[in-house]
Amino acid sequence: MPKLHWRAKSKRYAVRAVIDTNILVSALLTPGGVPAQLIAAIRTQALTPVISESIISEYTNVLSRPKFGFASNRTARLLEDMKGLALFLKPQPIPLQDLPDPDDAPFIAAALTADCVIITGNRKHYPPKTGIEVLSPAEALSCLSG
């Protein structure tokens, strides 16, 4: 099991992580799945999401795509919970060169600023050279459980 570097700056932010957008999509697509269980952990404040304005914009953009067909009330509730329970940051932008997906730069910047992990279902978007610890949803849930 990977060693986590989830450091507490205060009691409220004891376990924090940047949550990749694909976790939110998966949680809405499969309500009983592991990503949905991570969202439940956020709602019970066992996990604190780390976000920025850029991350919220990405969440909103992706979750509103017609191809998913998510009910607007479900996405609105999820976004409201993510914003209301999150640690908001204003991270400095990072260089975009050599990133597999430049759209992931805000997630990397937030994780670097908060000194926390990124939870994603797509590890290849966060190569080791970024210096970020990356966990799959199952790894993160396992660490939270035990």
Side-chain angles (χ1 to χ4, degrees):
M1 177 177 312
K3 182 180 178 203
L4 297 182
H5 300 288
W6 291 353
R7 295 182 190 98
K9 291 204 177 192
S10 72
K11 191 172 182 177
R12 163 127 160 62
Y13 302 120
V15 179
R16 5 178 254 281
V18 174
I19 311 298
D20 196 350
T21 311
N22 62 53
I23 302 300
L24 303 184
V25 170
S26 295
L28 289 170
L29 289 172
T30 310
V34 173
Q37 292 174 51
L38 288 172
I39 300 304
I42 290 168
R43 288 176 169 149
T44 63
Q45 297 182 9
L47 176 62
T48 299
V50 175
I51 60 176
S52 66
E53 288 299 326
S54 296
I55 291 173
I56 287 296
S57 292
E58 172 75 4
Y59 289 167
T60 303
N61 179 37
V62 171
L63 295 178
S64 65
R65 290 181 182 164
K67 73 177 184 177
F68 293 122
F70 296 137
S72 61
N73 63 331
R74 287 183 67 211
T75 59
R77 180 172 176 243
L78 178 55
L79 291 169
E80 182 179 303
D81 288 348
M82 292 298 287
K83 289 186 237 179
L85 298 169
L87 170 61
F88 266 91
L89 300 175
K90 291 186 179 186
Q92 294 297 314
I94 63 167
L96 300 179
Q97 69 266 18
D98 298 328
L99 289 181
D101 183 353
D103 289 341
D104 291 326
F107 295 86
I108 295 168
L112 288 170
T113 300
D115 190 23
C116 68
V117 302
I118 293 178
I119 302 173
T120 183
N122 196 352
R123 210 180 276 264
K124 69 181 178 184
H125 281 209
Y126 303 99
K129 68 182 176 186
T130 63
I132 299 299
E133 185 174 3
V134 179
L135 297 177
S136 71
E139 289 169 333
L141 192 59
S142 175
C143 291
L144 285 171
S145 300

